[in-house]
């Protein structure tokens, strides 16, 4: 059984939150049914991080990153794919955690229809794919992921297993910082084999 995470459970530190979220569950409630997946990969975008959208301060686009930890920041990446992030600090401090990959749990047929593939491994392996699979878009930007609603964070009794640490994927600024967390051995993790050992 999945229970909703409370804000009090979330660390007030973005890197710690990125690690904490490994093994937790993203739940998407739709008229067609519930879709959910276990978080198997995250990246932290911390304070004073040149790779973070919040690095140069708050803008209308990045305002959700400055909300109290546990809010959704959803943005369009290169005009093609939506990305789901979770704000990671106290209100007024811009930082966030990118949810990079999920292990599908519920609503597999809906995920497959949304993604146009039956391959379980590929349904939510990568941030753009997971947003398509769960039908997450700009409507979710700024949502409180610890409150009742169509998109929320949860937990169950399953332990995630061994958590690995690596540099982040696909960035050029502050690219050498070890701020990516993932479940070792999970087939649902994105990235190259060299990053997933």
């Amino acid at each position: 059984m999945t229970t909703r995470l409370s804000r009090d459970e979330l660390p007030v530190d973005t890197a710690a939150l990125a690690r904490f979220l490994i093994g937790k569950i993203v739940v998407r409630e739709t008229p067609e049914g519930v879709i959910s997946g276990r978080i198997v990969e995250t990246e932290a975008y911390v304070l004073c991080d040149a790779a973070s959208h919040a690095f140069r301060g708050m803008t209308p686009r990045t305002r959700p990153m400055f909300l109290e930890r546990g809010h959704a920041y959803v943005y369009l990446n290169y005009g093609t794919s939506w990305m789901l992030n979770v704000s990671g600090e106290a209100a007024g401090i811009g930082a966030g955690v990118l949810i990079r990959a999920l292990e599908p749990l519920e609503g597999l047929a809906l995920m497959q229809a949304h993604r146009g593939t039956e391959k379980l491994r590929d349904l939510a392996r990568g941030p753009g794919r997971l947003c398509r699979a769960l039908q997450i878009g700009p409507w979710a930007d700024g949502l409180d992921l610890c409150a009742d609603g169509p998109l929320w964070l949860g937990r169950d009794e399953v332990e995630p297993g061994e958590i690995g640490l690596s540099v982040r994927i696909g960035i050029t600024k502050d690219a050498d910082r070890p701020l990516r967390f993932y479940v070792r051995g999970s087939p649902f993790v994105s990235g190259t084999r060299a990053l997933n050992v």
Side-chain angles (χ1 to χ4, degrees), residues 70-153:
H71 285 79
Y73 167 50
V74 179
Y75 68 89
L76 190 62
N77 191 44
Y78 296 115
T80 60
S81 299
W82 295 103
M83 306 285 178
L84 172 63
N85 300 259
V86 181
S87 59
E89 298 285 340
I93 301 174
V97 175
L98 173 64
I99 308 299
R100 280 202 60 90
L102 302 176
E103 174 186 346
L105 296 177
E106 295 176 278
L108 298 184
L110 288 171
M111 284 184 163
Q112 289 166 334
H114 297 157
R115 286 274 298 108
T117 182
E118 293 187 1
K119 292 183 179 178
L120 183 65
R121 179 174 182 260
D122 288 338
L123 291 181
R125 185 173 56 90
R129 290 175 175 178
L130 79 84
C131 280
R132 281 193 296 277
L134 275 66
Q135 295 290 278
I136 297 170
W139 62 266
D141 195 37
L143 275 185
D144 186 347
L145 300 175
C146 299
D148 289 339
L151 184 66
W152 49 275
L153 295 171

Side-chain angles (χ1 to χ4, degrees), residues 152-187:
W152 49 275
L153 295 171
R155 66 154 67 244
D156 61 13
E157 300 303 315
V158 177
E159 293 297 324
E162 186 179 356
I163 298 175
L165 178 65
S166 81
V167 297
R168 295 171 293 185
I169 295 173
I171 61 172
T172 54
K173 297 175 180 176
D174 277 347
D176 59 344
R177 300 176 78 169
L179 291 169
R180 174 177 168 265
F181 300 86
Y182 62 95
V183 176
R184 290 188 190 276
S186 170

